[in-house]
């Protein structure tokens, strides 16, 4: 159920919070109080004029409007107890209590706390008398040059003096001249530390800390860190100056120690903890704490958060952060540049019009508003820091370059901003250093982080004989402690096959681990063995800690279901071996059985024995290469809803994990009543049952005797599979079989049915040499008896027309992609988008596709030596998804000749002019220079010559008097959003095609 969320605040930080929260499927609407022009009527986001200072009124507002979560941005409401009051009234609120917020609201409290808990910080002393403070400054045996107002001063209450006279002057300004008002009644004078200043933030639920990537703020107004102190003129993330080891040290010795200290003092800290640090020669030291996201750090940290912010906040408030740790993008960097009003941080004008937002959007940038307001349909300045322009790119250099382009595009009178945000990091990165293992693509620190994260999962699988501790060279198992007297060891190994491909396309990694464990432990049951321990192998090209953690957590959970310990494993990061986002799995199970209880008992199998079938959960983990081929050729895809009111997708249905039978069947296998057990794995019914039968015997099964899940009927129908192909490839609803004596069959069936769905499905017979060892009667009839109700509505909707499978190639925001997605969702569309490919990671177009449930792929052109190599990689993925038609929606790459020839007549592009006029870049500029009165957009087939392909569709746009490139671009873009879907419909319906002569051919019957 989607919920309403209220964000408190009006700055760029609050716009970024609302922007990130609005991306959650759990969020229906984000209200921002009081908000700014950027949060006014922006999709899910809108403003509220409710008073945030009157907590009683705010509580009633939250209850009246069913606000399920309040997120507090700035520090003042936190210090005034907004969380205490709202939480006390039953309104969930994210942030620390007023007592906990003293870490920021009182510098003297904060410094004393640091000393009490041995957390490194600068030497200091607090004063309420200015003369005593100045006396301390002149006599201290360290440079006491930093003067801080102890209270809240909007991030500006710190003065770093260059000499003792300047420090004393700062004391007098704060305490006598009241520069910062009541915040300066107490001042803290502290040692001037030397080093690099960084910001390290974390989520915390009062026990666990979840660090965010480190960032660096730029406080001074002008380039080169010159000019007065400000609230922050820009930031970047991550800060490369902080190595993985240093990051872990900061987590353990500062962030975790602070949270533990607050808990010890009876004031649990819940929310975001911000530690401003100085990286000194003696190690990191705390400069200050903030009790919320920093501004502008928030605008570079949240864009790198891959997890759902709403889910992270809920886990934090609920005290469950350890089980829902946030995942961050590890291959991106973000830079934000603040644009401020002329005169800031002093007095400044307001009400100045701001333009250029659409240009910034076209560049793929995020603009977070701060001091902005709406006036007469325009956006105007209303504060000192007006807005921030954020770029997310693969590296810091390109992110800074793109952010500066955005700042240049946005204009208002007297705008001031820095052009050197991140200059320290760039200098650090340019400093010549030797190659490391990480440079080759192997991140040892990420691997170590993964091991630390999964240790609790493994430990939870401990059992008699094994404590399941990871990190050693080998694992130990004590058979005697497990209760065995005369054991035989039994081992099995397996993988998951191409079911992994579906998990990767659907981005669902939490159940595939159970498949791996089940495939191994179900096999060793065939010898009557109890699974004792399990080892896993996880291989990838680039380690994504979040994905790997989800997979291994699933493995650990499955080990608990199987009753075995996760004793160890191997994570292999092998650059170049796997495509981005791909990984492979293998598993190894070891079990034991007492010598006298081994299966199968071949000498006891006899004519007339009964076969008991035990239900599978679905396809399990075999036959998925055929499954994927059937889906490719069907009218459905993995995102198709097939679950009726349950809203289950086909991908989710196919990913139903393999059943684990060890705990439910071991007592039956040990009873002495079972002669044989077979796991129905690769080879289906036909090839697995003979593996546990003596040579002279076979079985005859009746498919009418068990319930066959509908998925098998759909696969048979869509693939037009023969009865033999079904029985040889799939389990057809039977995950395992038992062979028992006829007289004991009912009793054994009853025992099995206490835990599993099971049936009497056949008998053992003495066979002639020529006869098949497994006969499955009535299988086709049973499969075809299903009405496929589960799939009926979806199939009916999707098969009214055979929809053309479309891939969209993008490089940025994907505004035309959005129009294409909207149009293809309609039941009347002849096309469906099955894939979005971007040559750049982290762009908005990818997020648009993911929100629409469309699979995405990032293929970075920088990783390839030539255009042809890059295009070949794209072509391979297009083939994998059985793409029939390609749309280029802001794809900023020129396709190679071989690629264009292969896809001749199957690639559509859109150009912002009425071709053949004004080809190439800068079309709007050329239109205005030429003085024409009409322009527009053109959708055309792609030819080797740029903008020269046959024209499919055009829409005219008048050029108005006084038009600028920006205003003209906005109107042409609106026309593009109509023209591209219209052209796609013409081509997908075959009303239009490209003839052999390169000219357009019309099929008027289809058109009508």
């Amino acid at each position: 159920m989607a919920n309403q969320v209220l964000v408190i605040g009006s700055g760029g930080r609050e716009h970024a919070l609302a922007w990130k929260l609005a991306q959650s499927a759990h969020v229906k609407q984000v209200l921002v109080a009081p908000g700014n022009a950027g949060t006014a009527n922006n999709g899910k986001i809108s403003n509220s004029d409710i008073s945030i200072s009157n907590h009683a009124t705010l509580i009633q507002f939250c209850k009246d409007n069913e606000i399920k979560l309040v997120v507090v941005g700035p520090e003042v409401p936190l210090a005034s107890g907004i969380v205490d009051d709202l939480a006390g009234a039953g309104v969930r609120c994210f942030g620390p209590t007023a007592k906990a917020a003293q870490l920021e609201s009182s510098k003297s409290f904060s410094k004393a706390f640091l000393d009490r808990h041995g957390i490194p910080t600068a030497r200091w002393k607090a004063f309420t008398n200015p003369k005593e403070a100045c006396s301390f400054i002149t006599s201290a045996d360290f440079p006491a040059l930093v003067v801080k107002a102890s209270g809240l001063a909007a991030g500006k209450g710190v003065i770093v003096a260059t000499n003792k006279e300047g420090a004393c002057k700062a004391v007098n300004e704060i305490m006598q001249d009241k520069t910062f008002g009541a915040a300066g009644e107490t001042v803290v004078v502290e040692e001037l530390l030397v080093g690099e200043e960084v910001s390290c933030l974390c989520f915390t639920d009062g026990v666990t800390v979840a660090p965010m990537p480190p960032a660096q703020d730029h406080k001074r107004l002008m380039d080169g860190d010159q000019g007065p102190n400000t609230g922050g003129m820009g930031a970047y993330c991550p800060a490369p100056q902080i190595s993985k080891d240093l990051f872990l040290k900061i987590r353990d010795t500062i962030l975790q120690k602070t949270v533990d200290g607050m808990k010890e003092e009876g004031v649990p800290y819940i929310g975001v903890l911000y530690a401003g640090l100085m990286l000194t020669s003696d190690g990191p030291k705390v400069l200050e704490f903030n009790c919320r996201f920093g501004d502008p750090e928030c605008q570079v940290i949240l864009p790198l958060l891959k997890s759902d912010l709403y889910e992270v906040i809920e886990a934090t408030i609920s005290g469950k952060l350890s089980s829902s740790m946030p995942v961050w993008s590890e291959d991106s960097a973000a830079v934000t540049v603040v644009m401020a009003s002329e005169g800031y941080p002093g007095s400044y004008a307001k009400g100045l019009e701001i333009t250029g937002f659409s240009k910034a959007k076209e560049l793929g940038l995020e603009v977070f508003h701060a001091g902005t307001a709406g006036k007469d349909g325009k956006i105007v300045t209303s504060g000192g820091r007006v807005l921030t322009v954020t770029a997310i790119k693969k590296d810091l250099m390109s992110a800074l370059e793109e952010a500066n382009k955005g700042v240049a595009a946005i204009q208002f009178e007297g705008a001031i901003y820095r052009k050197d945000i991140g200059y320290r990091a760039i200098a650090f990165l340019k400093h010549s250093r030797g190659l490391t293992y990480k440079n080759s693509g192997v991140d040892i620190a990420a691997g170590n982080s993964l091991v630390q994260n999964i240790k609790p999962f493994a430990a939870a699988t401990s059992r008699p004989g094994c404590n399941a501790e990871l990190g050693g060279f080998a694992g130990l198992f004590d058979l005697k402690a497990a209760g065995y007297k005369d054991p035989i060891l039994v081992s099995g190994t397996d993988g998951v096959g191409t079911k992994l491909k579906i998990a990767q396309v659907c981005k669902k990694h939490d159940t595939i681990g159970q498949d791996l464990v089940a495939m191994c432990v179900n096999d060793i049951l065939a010898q009557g063995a109890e699974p004792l321990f399990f080892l896993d192998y996880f291989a990838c090209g680039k380690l994504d800690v979040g994905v790997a953690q989800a997979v291994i957590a699933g493995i650990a959970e499955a080990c608990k279901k199987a009753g075995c310990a996760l004793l160890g494993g191997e994570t292999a990061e092998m650059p170049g071996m796997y495509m981005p986002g791909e990984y492979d799995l293998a598993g190894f199970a070891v079990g034991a059985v007492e010598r006298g209880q081994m299966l199968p008992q071949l000498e006891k199998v006899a004519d007339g024995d009964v076969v008991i079938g035990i239900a599978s959960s679905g396809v399990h983990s075999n036959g998925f290469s055929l499954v994927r081929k059937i889906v490719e050729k069907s009218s459905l895809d993995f995102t198709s809803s097939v679950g009726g009111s349950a809203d289950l997708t086909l991908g989710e249905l196919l990913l139903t994990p393999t059943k684990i039978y060890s705990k439910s069947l071991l007592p039956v296998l040990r009873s002495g009543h079972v002669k044989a057990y077979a796991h129905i794995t690769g080879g289906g019914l036909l090839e697995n049952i003979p593996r546990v039968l003596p040579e002279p015997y076979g079985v005859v099964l009746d498919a009418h005797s068990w319930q066959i899940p509908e998925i098998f009927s759909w696969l048979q129908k869509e693939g037009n599979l023969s009865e033999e192909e079904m029985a040889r490839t799939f389990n057809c609803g039977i995950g395992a079989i038992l062979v028992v004596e006829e007289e004991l069959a009912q009793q054994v069936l009853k025992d099995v049915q206490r835990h599993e769905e099971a049936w009497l499905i056949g008998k053992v017979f003495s066979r002639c040499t020529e006869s098949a060892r497994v006969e499955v009667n009535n299988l086709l009839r049973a499969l075809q008896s299903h009405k496929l109700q589960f799939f009926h509505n979806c199939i009916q909707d999707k098969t009214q027309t055979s929809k053309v499978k479309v891939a969209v190639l993008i490089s940025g925001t994907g505004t035309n992609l959005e129009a294409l997605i909207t149009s293809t969702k309609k039941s009347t569309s002849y096309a469906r988008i099955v894939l979005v490919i971007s040559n750049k990671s982290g762009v908005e177009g990818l997020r648009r596709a993911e929100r629409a449930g469309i699979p995405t792929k990032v293929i970075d052109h920088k990783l390839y030596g030539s255009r042809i190599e890059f295009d070949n990689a794209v072509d391979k993925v297009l083939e994998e998804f059985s793409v029939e038609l390609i749309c280029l929606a802001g794809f900023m790459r020129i396709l190679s000749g071989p690629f264009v020839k292969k896809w001749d007549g199957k690639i559509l592009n859109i150009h912002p002019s009425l071709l053949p006029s004004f080809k190439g870049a800068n079309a709007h500029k050329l239109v205005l220079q030429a003085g024409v009165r009409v322009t527009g957009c053109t959708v055309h087939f792609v030819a080797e010559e740029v903008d020269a392909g046959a024209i499919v569709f055009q829409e005219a746009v008048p050029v108005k008097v006084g038009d600028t490139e920006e205003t003209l671009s906005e109107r042409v873009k609106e026309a593009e959003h109509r023209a591209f879907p219209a052209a796609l419909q013409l081509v997908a319906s075959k009303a239009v095609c490209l003839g052999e002569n390169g000219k357009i051919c019309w099929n008027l019957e289809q058109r009508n």
Side-chain angles (χ1 to χ4, degrees), residues 262-539:
M262 293 295 281
K263 184 181 176 185
E264 285 173 22
E265 296 191 5
V267 187
Y269 190 101
I270 299 168
V272 169
L273 177 65
Y274 172 135
L277 307 176
M278 184 69 80
L279 305 181
T280 74
S281 56
D282 298 323
K285 295 186 178 183
V286 177
L287 296 173
E288 63 174 357
F289 284 124
N290 291 332
C291 56
R292 35 69 193 183
F293 274 107
D295 187 341
E297 290 94 339
C298 184
Q299 293 93 302
V300 289
I301 292 174
L302 285 185
L304 301 184
L305 177 62
K306 294 171 72 174
S307 301
D308 184 316
L309 178 59
Y310 182 89
E311 291 179 0
V312 174
I313 289 175
E314 283 291 326
T316 302
I317 296 174
S318 302
K320 298 178 180 178
L321 186 57
S322 62
S323 61
S324 187
M325 297 290 275
V327 178
W328 302 91
S329 175
E330 296 181 0
D331 56 0
S332 300
V335 171
T336 196
V337 179
V338 173
M339 298 186 73
S341 296
E342 187 175 17
Y344 174 80
S347 58
Y348 47 82
K350 297 182 180 180
L352 304 173
E353 184 183 355
I354 311 168
T355 61
F357 292 110
S358 62
K359 278 189 179 180
K361 193 173 183 181
E362 285 176 11
L363 290 168
L365 304 171
E366 295 295 341
V367 178
F368 296 114
H369 292 234
T372 65
K375 182 180 180 182
D376 301 328
K378 299 176 181 178
I379 296 177
V380 299
T381 63
S382 67
R385 290 192 296 173
V386 177
L387 54 84
T388 65
V389 179
T390 300
I392 306 103
K393 295 293 173 185
K394 284 193 75 67
D395 58 70
L396 200 59
M397 295 279 284
S398 54
L400 175 58
E401 184 180 333
E402 291 300 308
N404 282 336
K405 285 182 186 176
V407 168
I410 294 178
Q411 297 180 346
F412 58 90
E413 186 181 335
I416 53 173
Y417 51 86
R418 288 181 60 161
K419 300 183 182 68
D420 67 340
I421 301 302
Y423 76 95
R424 287 195 188 93
I426 291 168
F428 176 83
L429 292 169
K430 284 184 175 179
H431 185 268
S432 178
R433 287 172 288 162
L435 286 174
T436 66
Y437 204 7
K438 187 174 181 179
N439 296 141
S440 72
V442 179
D443 192 339
I444 294 175
N448 292 339
S449 173
L450 174 63
V451 171
Q452 292 303 314
N453 292 349
I454 63 177
K455 276 185 175 180
F457 303 141
T461 68
S462 296
R463 52 153 294 156
C466 174
N467 60 9
E469 288 185 359
L470 301 183
F473 285 103
L476 302 176
F477 194 95
D478 187 340
L479 283 166
K480 192 172 181 180
Y484 284 90
K485 297 175 182 176
D486 185 19
I488 299 292
L489 290 179
V490 182
S491 65
T493 186
D494 211 334
V496 183
T498 58
K499 188 173 186 177
L500 284 171
K501 284 278 192 182
I502 299 176
Q504 290 158 12
V505 167
C506 295
K507 293 181 171 60
K508 181 173 172 57
H509 311 286
D510 56 340
T511 59
I512 206 77
Q514 177 166 328
D515 292 300
L516 183 66
V517 174
M519 294 298 287
C520 297
V521 300
N522 289 347
D523 274 357
I524 65 174
L525 281 177
Q527 270 63 51
E530 173 194 14
L532 300 177
F533 62 85
F534 189 84
L535 303 166
D536 71 88
Y537 174 79
F538 180 98

